[in-house]
Amino acid sequence: MSSHNGTLAPPEPQQDDTRAPLGNGLKQRHLSMIALGGVIGAGLFVGSGAGIAAAGPSIVLAYAASGLLVMFVMRMLGEMSAANPASGSFSVHADRAIGPWAGFTAGWMFWTLLCVGVAIEAIGAAHIMTGWFPGTPSWMWVLVFMALFCGSNLAAVSNFGEFEFWFAALKIGAIALFLGLGVLAVLGLLPGTASPGSANLLHDGGFLPNGVDGLLVGLLASVVAYGGLETVTIAAAESDDPVKGVAKAVRTTMWRIAIVYVGSMLVIVTLLPWNDPAVTETGPYAATLDHLGIPAAGQIMNVVILIALLSAMNANIYGSSRMAYSLVSRGQGPKALGKVTGRVPRRAVLASSGFGFVTVLLSYWYPDTLFAWLLNMVGGVILVVWGFIAVSQFVLRRRTERDAPETLVVRMWGFPYLTWVALAGVAGVLVLMAWDEDTRVQVIFTGGLTVALAVSGYVMQRRAAARAGA
């Protein structure tokens, strides 16, 4: 099948076979909780400290601005995923909208990001466990966690759903308790505390203590913290009602981001001086709980962070295996990974987990060289993926309005203007990363990975077109 330009045409919606052989063991309660809990990760609990130290109280603006960009991206992704649910999510959409080379590039970039993420989270979780059990080797805990979640993902998709359901429930409970205590303290209603008013927001250098440069550093830190929301659209393809699941998850994105991210940042910088060393040393959430006199605050947060790390490991193994399976089913990867057993792509699960194991070994053997290179290589991947999502939505919206308008149960706001705004936002953040000395190397490595995959995908696409025309 060839398109008007002579290249291999992307598959039509009814021909998308990326989800047919897979199970549908995810229930609506799983999807709802994955969507809620997916926004709460270790990046929020730990990584936000560096953003606060750089931006001061203006971190609230940074999280609000990047949160707005993420809302646009998720709305666009939701529109496409509700119209055409697929386990390959945005990779399938890019394939249909732009061409197989784009689906290949976006899919394998995201797979690499998730696999490296599995290793990072495993190492972080092991670090917490060795703190609780001194003398135990870190590799042992990495092995335990990798085996646990690889095994659960090999068994059935419902196992992934159950793990994420309870992980998300615990994270949501923790953040709700934190926000509740924080709001009471801000209002001066918490026993033993007095309301700080606006002192911490306006003193110690003011709302923008380090100027626009500090705000930009905070903006880059906040963008990283939002990564991972896309997994819910991958999971929806294996639910009992994919369209309803995607629509509901995407429609709740706005208030989740506003409350969990922007709300908690506002509580933290209102209660604590932004330049308090504890913000970066113990983490902003633990520092705030200590400030409020909550007993064993540090250990409480370690438990929450451990849960967030394990949740991310589970989600990343799941998401990477489904992305690999989707790519292989479209002829864009090793055929051996395409076998489905028990309605689970077990070889893809093993391959995705195996890359995580290898990356953990690299971090042990070459902590300052090869592993750092891998981290830099995937540093800006999520922004490239968001760019593919925006371009795909722009193309597919026109096509869907013409061919199947009844499938547009979720619609991007202000189309096409906000789609252009989202694209400009993605480009703007990449420019800021290239401008900033600390993140410039990530842009270079991510650019190299993007070009290498795009060229490989294009060559593969041309060969497929030649075979089809022979």
Side-chain angles (χ1 to χ4, degrees), residues 24-38 157-166 168 232 235-236 238-240 245 249:
N24 59 349
L26 293 179
K27 303 183 185 304
Q28 186 59 47
R29 70 179 179 90
H30 292 145
L31 279 184
S32 297
M33 198 60 81
I34 290 168
L36 285 166
V157 68
S158 58
N159 286 355
F160 162 73
E162 282 300 319
F163 269 114
E164 281 305 289
F165 180 85
W166 293 109
V232 72
E238 291 185 78
S239 69
D240 46 13

Side-chain angles (χ1 to χ4, degrees), residues 6-32:
T7 60
L8 185 64
E12 296 303 317
Q14 66 269 24
Q15 295 172 309
D16 175 23
D17 62 351
T18 57
R19 80 179 222 266
L22 299 180
N24 59 349
L26 293 179
K27 303 183 185 304
Q28 186 59 47
R29 70 179 179 90
H30 292 145
L31 279 184
S32 297

Side-chain angles (χ1 to χ4, degrees), residues 27-394:
K27 303 183 185 304
Q28 186 59 47
R29 70 179 179 90
H30 292 145
L31 279 184
S32 297
M33 198 60 81
I34 290 168
L36 285 166
V39 78
I40 306 170
L44 174 65
F45 290 122
V46 183
S48 56
I52 293 171
S58 68
I59 192 68
V60 177
L61 290 181
Y63 269 87
S66 54
L68 189 62
L69 175 59
V70 172
M71 278 190 263
F72 291 161
V73 169
M74 285 301 294
R75 188 75 185 187
M76 290 186 286
L77 184 55
E79 177 184 291
M80 295 183 291
S81 297
N84 181 40
S87 62
S89 186
F90 50 82
S91 173
V92 171
H93 308 320
D95 196 313
R96 293 178 58 231
I98 308 168
W101 71 268
F104 177 92
T105 304
W108 285 117
M109 285 187 78
F110 196 67
W111 182 83
T112 305
L113 172 68
L114 294 186
C115 290
V116 174
V118 168
I120 296 168
E121 288 126 18
I123 293 166
H127 179 72
I128 292 175
M129 296 304 292
T130 54
W132 287 342
F133 300 96
T136 57
S138 178
W139 64 263
M140 181 190 77
W141 293 111
V142 169
L143 186 63
V144 167
F145 293 139
M146 289 294 295
L148 173 65
F149 293 114
C150 179
S152 70
N153 276 279
L154 284 171
V157 68
S158 58
N159 286 355
F160 162 73
E162 282 300 319
F163 269 114
E164 281 305 289
F165 180 85
W166 293 109
F167 280 148
L170 290 167
K171 290 189 291 183
I172 291 164
I175 204 77
L177 181 60
F178 175 84
L179 288 171
L181 291 171
V183 169
L184 289 175
V186 168
L187 297 175
L189 301 178
L190 194 68
T193 62
S195 173
S198 61
N200 292 323
L201 294 173
L202 303 177
H203 296 171
D204 292 322
F207 191 72
L208 268 167
N210 292 320
V212 175
D213 287 348
L215 177 61
L216 295 180
V217 173
L219 179 65
L220 298 179
S222 64
V223 166
V224 174
Y226 283 117
L229 282 171
E230 306 81 8
T231 302
V232 72
T233 61
I234 296 174
E238 291 185 78
S239 69
D240 46 13
D241 191 345
V243 175
K244 180 182 177 183
V246 168
K248 186 173 181 180
V250 170
R251 283 171 181 152
T252 59
T253 297
M254 180 179 291
W255 67 264
R256 283 184 281 128
I257 287 175
I259 294 174
V260 172
Y261 277 92
V262 182
S264 58
M265 288 300 107
L266 182 58
V267 164
I268 290 167
V269 295
T270 301
L271 291 175
L272 281 180
W274 65 272
N275 52 4
D276 187 329
V279 169
T280 51
E281 290 171 5
T282 63
Y285 288 81
T288 302
L289 292 177
D290 276 330
H291 176 75
L292 298 180
I294 307 298
Q299 289 307 317
I300 291 171
M301 286 312 303
N302 272 338
V303 171
V304 175
I305 292 167
L306 178 65
I307 290 168
L309 287 165
L310 296 181
S311 171
M313 274 187 70
N314 189 37
N316 285 353
I317 291 174
Y318 170 83
S320 57
S321 65
R322 270 36 176 199
M323 183 60 74
Y325 169 76
S326 173
L327 287 160
V328 169
S329 71
R330 287 178 277 141
Q332 297 177 351
K335 291 181 180 179
L337 299 184
K339 185 175 176 58
V340 175
T341 310
R343 306 197 79 180
V344 173
R346 289 178 178 165
R347 291 183 180 179
V349 170
L350 288 171
S352 300
S353 301
F355 191 88
F357 276 116
V358 170
T359 313
V360 169
L361 290 174
L362 293 176
S363 75
Y364 179 75
W365 291 329
Y366 309 106
D368 300 320
T369 54
L370 192 53
F371 189 60
W373 181 82
L374 282 171
L375 289 179
N376 283 329
M377 186 174 67
V378 301
V381 162
I382 197 64
L383 289 162
V384 176
V385 168
W386 290 352
F388 275 115
I389 289 172
V391 174
S392 300
Q393 187 268 337
F394 186 84

